[in-house]
Amino acid sequence: MNKQSLFFTCLVAVVATALMIMAIQFLAKKLNVKSETEDKINLSYAVWSASIFITFFMLLKVALEQTENAIEVIIYSKTIENTFLEVMQRIAIFTGFTFFFTFLSWYVVNAIFKFSMGNRVDSYEIEKNNIGYFILKGVVLVLLVFSLISIFEHLLRWFAPVVETPFYH
């Protein structure tokens, strides 16, 4: 393990977590889920946001492993001229796919719940403090991501840097 790859990987984890916090706040405001006037956080809102965080961190774990491997390959490569640009491209691709898969899985679970439980609105369910609904929704979201995580890892490997190994006769 290289110190540079560990540093960039830790930096990516911190920045991605901060971006995910902002994305959840934006999503909560867009869906009118979180009330701005209440002082304490509703338990159903906490379960809703925690389920999104858990799925994000499950996917981020895989993306950080691929990021660290890609950084080490890029740093030790003799053929890549601009290593910083290549590292930033791989980081952007891997974290971008992490955000994309997180929100895609959230959207798929919402569509599944619309088909199975009818047209329930999350903001009304949070106002009614329907914790069971959000626990069930979170479990389905986590299990969906858990079942698709190997596909996600395979997709990220498509964007890994190519290692040229010389073959001698």
Side-chain angles (χ1 to χ4, degrees), residues 11 13-16 20 23 29 58 62 76 109 111 127 136 142-143:
L11 188 65
V14 169
V15 170
M20 190 61 185
K29 285 182 182 179
M58 287 172 61
V62 173
Y76 291 118
V109 167
E127 285 177 12
L136 182 64
V142 167
L143 291 177

Side-chain angles (χ1 to χ4, degrees), residues 1-17 60-72 75 87-88 91 94-95:
M1 300 228 181
N2 193 351
K3 291 179 184 177
Q4 292 173 337
S5 66
L6 286 175
F7 172 72
F8 275 116
T9 305
C10 291
L11 188 65
V12 167
V14 169
V15 170
T17 303
L60 187 66
K61 177 191 174 291
V62 173
L64 289 177
E65 289 172 356
Q66 295 299 319
T67 301
E68 185 176 359
N69 292 337
I71 290 172
E72 287 182 7
I75 287 174
V87 166
M88 288 301 131
I91 287 172
F94 295 156
T95 56

